[in-house]
Amino acid sequence: VLGQADLGYKDYLYLTLSARNDWSSTLPIDKNSFFYGGVNLSFLLTELMPELKASQVNFLKVRAAVGQTGNDTEVFRTSSWFNTLTNNTYYYTHLPIGGVSGLSEHNRLPNTELKPEMTTEYELGVSGSFFNNRVSVDLAYYNKQTKNQIIAATLPPETGYTTETKNVGKIENKGIELMLEVTPVRTKDWE
């Protein structure tokens, strides 16, 4: 289920709101619903202050955003499942005595407490175009955090499993991005 609302005020202030709820069949039944959303606000200074255009500022925008994204997992991470053992599979070393077909539990330990991954990102930015659109700048600061990452952790094989699906840690990426565009020469036929 998702929804989005876009609002604008006098051609200089814009707000976008979004919300989403997912239900995943690959997560435990009591933890399979997860909600996330976002807010994006942008402010066009050149529309609010027309005198900027007289000073060689063609366009100037300030923006701020925060948003979340949820993520589930692959199938069979929360429950056990069995492989069919026959002479035609690569599981021949696990065949019961005499080559009789059988079943073998998969080697991944299921996790009935698994939660969805959640990524939250914040961004602040400014973009502008100057001198008859010959110079453009876009500057942004971002901070992106992912928590409850879903990984397959290694287990000692003597436990009967080789991996276990787990939620672990928090990862953070942050930085500054700068894009500069310059058109030093512009004529009627060439740029």
Side-chain angles (χ1 to χ4, degrees), residues 1 9 15 20 25 30 40 45 67-69 75 92 97 100 104 114 124-125 137 150 158 166 179 181-182 185-186:
V1 176
Y9 179 74
L15 176 68
R20 179 173 173 152
S25 63
D30 58 339
N40 187 342
L45 294 171
Q68 287 188 312
T69 305
V75 297
Y92 65 91
I97 294 176
V100 177
S104 171
L114 205 58
L124 297 171
V137 175
I150 299 171
E158 53 272 9
K166 299 175 85 170
M179 182 174 67
E181 294 180 35
V182 179
V185 176
R186 180 181 290 156

Side-chain angles (χ1 to χ4, degrees), residues 12 14 28 35 40 49 53 62 64 70 75 78 84 92-93 102 114 119 126 132 138 145 150 168 171 174 190:
Y12 72 84
Y14 295 93
F35 176 83
N40 187 342
M49 299 179 284
K53 290 188 178 180
V62 177
V75 297
T78 60
T84 303
Y92 65 91
T93 57
L114 205 58
T119 300
V126 61
N132 201 21
D138 193 324
Q145 300 173 356
I150 299 171
V168 296
I171 290 187
K174 58 184 172 181
W190 191 78

